[in-house]
Coordinates of all heavy atoms in Angstrom, one line a residue:
A984 N 10.6 10.9 -7.6 CA 9.9 10.0 -8.6 C 8.5 10.6 -8.8 O 7.9 10.2 -9.8 CB 9.8 8.6 -8.1
P995 N -4.6 5.1 -28.1 CA -4.5 5.9 -29.3 C -3.8 7.2 -29.1 O -3.6 7.7 -28.0 CB -6.0 6.2 -29.6 CG -6.7 5.1 -29.0 CD -5.9 4.7 -27.8
E1043 N -2.4 20.9 -19.7 CA -2.6 22.3 -20.1 C -1.3 23.1 -19.7 O -0.9 22.9 -18.6 CB -3.8 22.9 -19.5 CG -4.1 24.4 -20.0 CD -5.5 24.7 -20.0 OE1 -6.3 23.8 -20.4 OE2 -5.9 25.9 -19.7
L1089 N -5.7 32.5 6.8 CA -6.1 32.6 8.2 C -5.0 33.1 9.1 O -5.3 33.9 10.0 CB -6.7 31.3 8.7 CG -8.0 30.8 8.1 CD1 -8.3 29.4 8.5 CD2 -9.1 31.8 8.4
H1093 N -4.7 36.8 11.3 CA -4.4 36.7 12.7 C -5.4 35.8 13.5 O -5.6 36.0 14.7 CB -4.3 38.1 13.4 CG -3.4 39.1 12.7 ND1 -2.0 38.9 12.7 CD2 -3.6 40.1 11.9 CE1 -1.4 39.8 12.0 NE2 -2.4 40.6 11.5
T1131 N -3.4 6.0 6.0 CA -3.9 5.8 4.6 C -2.8 5.1 3.7 O -3.1 4.7 2.6 CB -4.3 7.1 3.9 OG1 -3.1 8.0 3.8 CG2 -5.3 7.9 4.7
H1172 N -1.1 4.5 16.8 CA 0.2 4.0 16.5 C 1.3 5.0 17.0 O 1.0 6.2 17.0 CB 0.4 3.8 15.0 CG -0.4 2.7 14.4 ND1 0.1 1.4 14.2 CD2 -1.7 2.6 14.1 CE1 -0.8 0.6 13.7 NE2 -2.0 1.3 13.7
L1194 N -9.8 19.9 9.8 CA -10.5 20.2 11.0 C -10.2 21.6 11.6 O -11.1 22.2 12.1 CB -10.2 19.1 12.0 CG -10.6 17.7 11.7 CD1 -10.1 16.7 12.7 CD2 -12.2 17.6 11.7
G1225 N -17.0 15.7 -1.0 CA -17.4 15.1 0.3 C -17.5 13.6 0.3 O -16.6 12.9 0.1
L1310 N 14.0 17.3 -4.4 CA 12.6 17.7 -4.0 C 12.6 18.1 -2.6 O 12.9 17.4 -1.7 CB 11.6 16.5 -4.2 CG 10.2 17.0 -4.1 CD1 9.4 16.9 -5.3 CD2 9.5 16.3 -2.9
Y1312 N 10.2 20.4 0.5 CA 8.8 20.6 0.8 C 8.6 21.7 1.7 O 9.2 21.8 2.8 CB 8.2 19.3 1.4 CG 6.7 19.2 1.3 CD1 6.1 18.5 0.3 CD2 5.8 19.9 2.2 CE1 4.7 18.5 0.1 CE2 4.5 19.8 2.1 CZ 3.9 19.1 1.1 OH 2.5 19.0 0.9
V1326 N 10.8 24.1 -10.0 CA 9.4 24.4 -10.2 C 8.7 24.2 -8.9 O 9.1 23.4 -8.1 CB 8.8 23.6 -11.4 CG1 9.4 24.0 -12.7 CG2 8.9 22.1 -11.1

Side-chain angles (χ1 to χ4, degrees):
E1043 184 150 325
L1089 293 171
H1093 306 291
T1131 66
H1172 292 260
L1194 292 171
L1310 189 119
Y1312 201 94
V1326 292

